[in-house]
Amino acid sequence: YYLHLIQDIDFAIDIDAEKDAEGKKKDWKLTHSRAAKCKRWLERERMPFSVWNSSENGFQFFVSGRNWKNRKNMQKKVDFYKELVKKIKGIDADISIYDLRRLIKLPYSLCNGKVVLPLDDEQFENWTPERCELKYVMARINLRNRGWMMRCKI
């Protein structure tokens, strides 16, 4: 009943931290390594994108839906995104986000005391969970006019 209100749907890739048998998150370096593979794939495919931490141990990639033509049938576009992300080898993305009712985290919002921070290349390469803590971000990162850190020219 709300589908007529949707103008477009963007492509997002959600890479969550793996959990051990007890449900505790594993080493964040594994998640970062998977996110780095995703970043290299997007660069190789020459897609303009932005990346941010989605939690203490996860990452989300954003690609504007304007990069694909099929803008009339939103469900077909969501299905296309779901199949596209499956082609990216070795990232083990969360495919449950490919649903017309799902949202990704909003950059610069707070999630459990962590800032959802768009990352430039240097910040991504040197990322640690401490670098998304509110105190760290407010003390060390100038947020004014920062934007989403889109990589448009690859």
Side-chain angles (χ1 to χ4, degrees):
Y1 112 105
Y2 56 88
L3 290 177
H4 69 283
L5 300 173
I6 299 174
Q7 298 295 310
D8 203 357
I9 293 182
D10 299 313
F11 178 43
I13 302 169
D14 188 26
I15 300 176
D16 293 324
E18 294 181 34
K19 295 181 180 176
D20 63 19
E22 297 172 1
K24 295 180 184 175
K25 290 182 181 176
K26 291 184 179 180
D27 184 1
W28 63 266
K29 292 176 185 172
L30 296 171
T31 309
H32 186 267
S33 173
R34 291 176 20 234
K37 287 179 186 178
C38 183
K39 181 178 178 290
R40 287 190 298 271
W41 184 85
L42 289 166
E43 290 168 343
R44 220 177 12 257
E45 295 296 318
R46 306 183 76 68
M47 289 186 197
F49 70 94
S50 181
V51 59
W52 49 79
N53 62 290
S54 61
S55 65
E56 186 174 1
N57 291 348
F59 295 91
Q60 288 183 334
F61 291 82
F62 168 86
V63 180
S64 173
R66 291 178 285 189
N67 292 306
W68 290 278
K69 291 181 181 175
N70 186 7
R71 292 173 67 166
K72 302 256 187 247
N73 187 322
M74 294 303 151
Q75 185 59 55
K76 281 186 179 179
K77 198 166 190 178
V78 168
D79 294 341
F80 167 73
Y81 291 159
K82 187 174 184 178
E83 292 307 311
L84 182 61
V85 80
K86 289 178 183 178
K87 293 179 181 182
I88 309 172
K89 303 294 182 209
I91 67 164
D92 193 28
D94 177 2
I95 60 169
S96 72
I97 69 166
Y98 300 104
D99 184 307
L100 288 172
R101 299 163 292 185
R102 295 293 302 262
L103 301 172
I104 59 174
K105 294 201 169 88
L106 182 65
Y108 302 105
S109 61
L110 288 176
C111 178
N112 299 323
K114 310 292 183 198
V115 178
V116 178
L117 187 67
L119 305 168
D120 64 24
D121 289 333
E122 182 181 346
Q123 289 169 326
F124 178 80
E125 296 304 321
N126 299 305
W127 190 85
T128 63
E130 296 78 29
R131 293 184 179 201
C132 63
E133 291 177 4
L134 182 58
K135 285 183 181 182
Y136 181 95
V137 170
M138 297 309 292
R140 293 180 175 91
I141 299 175
N142 181 2
L143 300 179
R144 185 176 182 158
N145 297 323
R146 185 180 155 95
W148 283 20
M149 301 290 175
M150 289 294 292
R151 287 125 174 108
C152 293
K153 296 178 183 176
I154 300 173

